[in-house]
Amino acid sequence: MKKIIGLVIAVITTFFIVGCGAKKMKPYEDTEVKYLDGGWVSVWADEFNGDKLDQTKWSYETGGDGWGNNELQYYTYDNTKVSDGTLKIFGRKEQKNNNQYTSSRIVTSNKFNFKYGRVVASAKLPVGKGTWPAIWMMPQESTYGHWPKSGEIDIMEYVGYEGNKVHASIHTEVYNHKNNTHQTGSLKIDNLTDDFHKYELIWEPGFISISVDDTNIKTFRYNPILDQAYDSNQAFPFDQDFFLILNLAIGGDWGGLQGVDDKIFPAIFEVDYIRVYQKDYNYLDKSNPETPYNVQESRLKKNSIIWVAPYDDIGVEYYNVYVDGEFYKKANLPQITLKKLDKGKKYNIKIEAVDFTGKVSRMSEGFEHTFK
């Protein structure tokens, strides 16, 4: 009887540990909205409730060299103000060195960066021709090379001469505005300069979706079939840490396309809050990923292997690639270019998927590839 009771207690204890072992992720305290539907938990925020910019969260970037877009402003430390629960970035008509305008640009670089998540910001945009405000992101490290090779994510861009339209874009080595190939979306919204509107990014492996006021502007997806002429990072390098940027540019290749109206100054880009969330993977994830399938050789890139991303209840984080049964390399997206193998030799390639909690799928069927 004691053995039976002990066995029952052991079973109940095991069930309790398994069922309750995953504790809920603790939210970032300094935010007014700690959770969003879908298991999103706050990991960082600035509510701009103080009386000055919090420089434990932000750094200023300064200068007036055009910033790669022939912009006209000089960025200073002096063109921001935090009051009445909002951040104001001012664009002013004033001389600074060789520049006729001043403004500010603030970044979270080296203070807060993240990979994958959800950004929610509320902002009211400046009035007038020549203004070019943005909420955007750049990589913390240039892992794949200098711009645009390591990527850029534009959550919100606005040029004042359009008046009622916002834009969302990504820039990569393959898709960027310098080559006139960048991927972008636009949406007309009333009262952009009179009211606060919500700008939102959802970023997951191979997936970026950007919206305003809960209406989608554009969704960007990595597709190994459509992009099989390239390494995955050339088309979609968004598998590294990025940081946040808030700025108000004046003029430039896009913002100044119809000139600058000097009667609008001072122009004000006002931000009520900006918040970052990530999924509580350990609490939400219940199952292993399904098996990667349709492993094949790219028709357009030598020694490139592609496959179809399998389903997982929360999402696949990366893939383990095996060559002749030995671990070869990790791939963050469903593509890999094989290197440093013996030319003319045939190799057996298998793939397994790994989710955000470390759960592993079954190995894919083997694919025979002759290294070229």
Side-chain angles (χ1 to χ4, degrees):
M1 177 63 71
K2 288 181 178 179
K3 288 183 179 180
I4 294 173
I5 293 172
L7 179 62
V8 170
I9 291 172
V11 170
I12 293 173
T13 302
T14 300
F15 176 80
F16 180 83
I17 291 172
V18 171
C20 304
K23 294 182 179 179
K24 284 189 175 182
M25 182 174 158
K26 289 184 178 180
Y28 185 74
E29 288 299 322
D30 189 19
T31 182
E32 295 179 7
V33 180
K34 293 180 171 54
Y35 302 97
L36 296 177
D37 291 344
W40 296 98
V41 182
S42 175
V43 295
W44 183 91
D46 200 335
E47 303 287 345
F48 301 113
N49 286 331
D51 57 6
K52 60 182 178 180
L53 187 70
D54 187 344
Q55 294 191 55
T56 67
K57 298 179 178 181
W58 300 96
S59 299
Y60 288 92
E61 291 187 332
T62 61
D65 57 2
W67 296 89
N69 300 298
N70 296 307
E71 297 164 25
L72 303 178
Q73 79 288 335
Y74 192 104
Y75 285 131
T76 78
Y77 296 95
D78 304 320
N79 286 52
T80 61
K81 181 180 180 180
V82 176
S83 63
D84 301 319
T86 68
L87 164 72
K88 292 89 171 170
I89 300 179
F90 295 91
R92 294 189 170 99
K93 177 73 170 75
E94 61 182 0
Q95 182 83 24
K96 178 70 173 179
N97 293 357
N98 295 321
N99 301 85
Q100 301 299 312
Y101 305 91
T102 63
S103 183
S104 282
R105 167 175 166 140
I106 58 173
V107 303
T108 66
S109 178
N110 294 314
K111 295 181 177 178
F112 174 73
N113 51 79
F114 65 104
K115 182 173 73 171
Y116 308 135
R118 184 172 179 176
V119 179
V120 185
S122 176
K124 183 164 61 174
L125 307 185
V127 175
K129 189 167 61 176
T131 59
W132 185 3
I135 303 169
W136 54 301
M137 298 168 59
M138 287 289 286
Q140 185 62 55
E141 304 291 340
S142 295
T143 302
Y144 301 118
H146 294 299
W147 190 96
K149 292 182 178 180
S150 292
E152 173 184 328
I153 303 172
D154 299 321
I155 302 171
M156 184 285 298
E157 282 188 286
Y158 170 80
V159 287
Y161 64 81
E162 289 183 329
N164 64 345
K165 185 185 292 186
V166 289
H167 307 266
S169 308
I170 62 170
H171 301 271
T172 73
E173 183 176 355
V174 176
Y175 305 109
N176 65 81
H177 72 275
K178 297 293 185 182
N179 294 337
N180 201 31
T181 57
H182 74 293
Q183 297 185 6
T184 189
S186 303
L187 193 65
K188 289 186 176 181
I189 299 290
D190 292 333
N191 303 316
L192 288 170
T193 61
D194 297 320
D195 301 324
F196 285 92
H197 294 268
K198 183 177 71 171
Y199 301 95
E200 190 164 4
L201 161 80
I202 295 178
W203 171 30
E204 297 179 322
F207 175 90
I208 289 173
S209 181
I210 301 174
S211 64
V212 56
D213 295 337
D214 299 317
T215 299
N216 181 258
I217 303 178
K218 183 73 174 180
T219 296
F220 310 93
R221 298 178 188 272
Y222 174 71
N223 187 316
I225 300 296
L226 296 180
D227 288 317
Q228 63 179 288
Y230 315 105
D231 287 337
S232 62
N233 62 271
Q234 293 178 298
F236 207 90
F238 306 109
D239 56 5
Q240 306 294 318
D241 277 21
F242 276 62
F243 62 88
L244 296 164
I245 307 171
L246 301 174
N247 74 290
L248 171 55
I250 306 298
D253 295 338
W254 189 15
L257 200 59
Q258 295 187 14
V260 179
D261 180 2
D262 286 345
K263 296 190 297 294
I264 66 173
F265 296 102
I268 305 174
F269 175 30
E270 192 170 3
V271 182
D272 185 16
Y273 59 79
I274 183 165
R275 303 164 181 154
V276 180
Y277 300 83
Q278 290 183 321
K279 283 187 176 178
D280 190 348
Y281 296 108
N282 287 321
Y283 186 77
L284 296 171
D285 191 280
K286 305 300 181 186
S287 63
N288 290 48
E290 295 184 356
T291 307
Y293 63 99
N294 200 17
V295 182
Q296 59 185 285
E297 182 179 310
S298 167
R299 301 188 304 274
L300 301 176
K301 184 173 177 62
K302 185 171 67 174
N303 295 320
S304 174
I305 305 299
I306 59 178
W307 57 92
V308 174
Y311 171 79
D312 181 76
D313 57 346
I314 300 299
V316 172
E317 183 179 15
Y318 63 91
Y319 303 88
N320 290 325
V321 179
Y322 292 84
V323 176
D324 286 349
E326 298 288 331
F327 175 75
Y328 175 77
K329 196 175 181 181
K330 184 176 81 170
N332 290 326
L333 291 172
Q335 182 273 344
I336 191 167
T337 299
L338 303 174
K339 298 178 180 179
K340 297 182 179 180
L341 299 178
D342 295 332
K343 190 173 182 179
K345 184 176 178 180
K346 185 175 288 187
Y347 293 91
N348 183 267
I349 313 299
K350 292 185 178 181
I351 313 294
E352 65 182 8
V354 184
D355 70 17
F356 282 89
T357 63
K359 296 185 182 71
V360 182
S361 73
R362 293 184 177 182
M363 200 79 72
S364 71
E365 293 184 0
F367 174 76
E368 297 295 324
H369 170 72
T370 301
F371 190 74
K372 300 176 181 61

